[in-house]
Amino acid sequence: MAFDPTRPTMLLLRKERAAWIDSSAVWTHAVTLTFPRSKFGIAPSEQAACNTANHLVNVLNRNLLGRGNVRNGHKIGSAFVFGTGPYGDHPHIHMTLAAPSGLSHEAMKKEIDNAIHQIEGLGHQLVIKPYSDSGWIEYMLDHCSDGFDVKLVFPTTPEQATSV
């Protein structure tokens, strides 16, 4: 195998990006969403999957923070990437979410599950785990389709949001 001089640079860039994302919020949940194929066997496109993930985060924002806070720009922290699996035929989203302060892990997990079941095209396969460290973000970056295609929403601070 030939020496690739860009690899160490890319590795360092990925580590720096993972550390930056990890420090951007108090992440609480690691989520994997796998998308079903249509009845014709067609997998959703990257754009369709990312739109669905955005919709999921919007539903969570409304449910957790209330419409008034969302209209004022308050959101939970979220970061996600799209991946297709090792053979390019397994569309999925890896995401990390930051629960609002004061919300228990189980309550947030229940809210995520409820939001997923409100959205058509989700619920095919779902894994929700506690976020433990930046290893999850490194895993997300390793398994995304484009290397560094990350959608990141910075969370609101508790002082900015009004009660629901």
Side-chain angles (χ1 to χ4, degrees):
M1 180 176 212
F3 175 73
D4 181 4
T6 62
R7 181 143 171 72
T9 305
M10 293 304 291
L11 182 62
L12 180 61
L13 182 60
R14 192 186 82 234
K15 291 262 186 209
E16 288 175 356
R17 175 114 359 134
W20 179 75
I21 293 169
D22 183 54
S23 67
S24 65
V26 180
W27 303 114
T28 58
H29 291 75
V31 180
T32 300
L33 303 168
T34 303
F35 295 89
R37 296 182 175 280
S38 72
K39 63 182 178 181
F40 303 110
I42 300 170
S45 67
E46 179 173 354
Q47 183 65 42
C50 288
N51 287 345
T52 303
N54 272 323
H55 183 55
L56 171 64
V57 172
N58 290 337
V59 168
L60 283 170
N61 282 323
R62 272 194 320 270
N63 292 349
L64 294 169
L65 302 175
R67 291 183 187 272
N69 282 320
V70 173
R71 270 194 308 273
N72 290 326
H74 304 291
K75 299 178 181 196
I76 63 170
S78 64
F80 65 83
V81 297
F82 175 79
T84 56
Y87 302 109
D89 63 348
H90 184 68
H92 60 281
I93 295 273
H94 291 299
M95 64 183 358
T96 185
L97 299 168
S101 63
L103 190 66
S104 72
H105 176 79
E106 283 304 313
M108 179 67 170
K109 185 175 179 178
K110 186 175 179 180
E111 288 291 339
I112 295 168
D113 194 50
N114 289 339
I116 285 170
H117 288 94
Q118 292 176 18
I119 300 171
E120 186 178 333
L122 288 180
H124 175 67
Q125 186 180 12
L126 165 68
V127 178
I128 304 172
K129 294 184 177 183
Y131 178 87
S132 57
D133 59 32
S134 64
W136 173 249
I137 293 174
E138 289 180 28
Y139 177 82
M140 286 172 44
L141 293 175
D142 282 347
H143 292 87
C144 63
S145 62
D146 202 353
F148 293 125
D149 184 22
V150 175
K151 168 78 173 162
L152 178 64
V153 174
F154 292 101
T156 7
T157 60
E159 299 81 37
Q160 292 174 318
T162 59
S163 61
V164 181

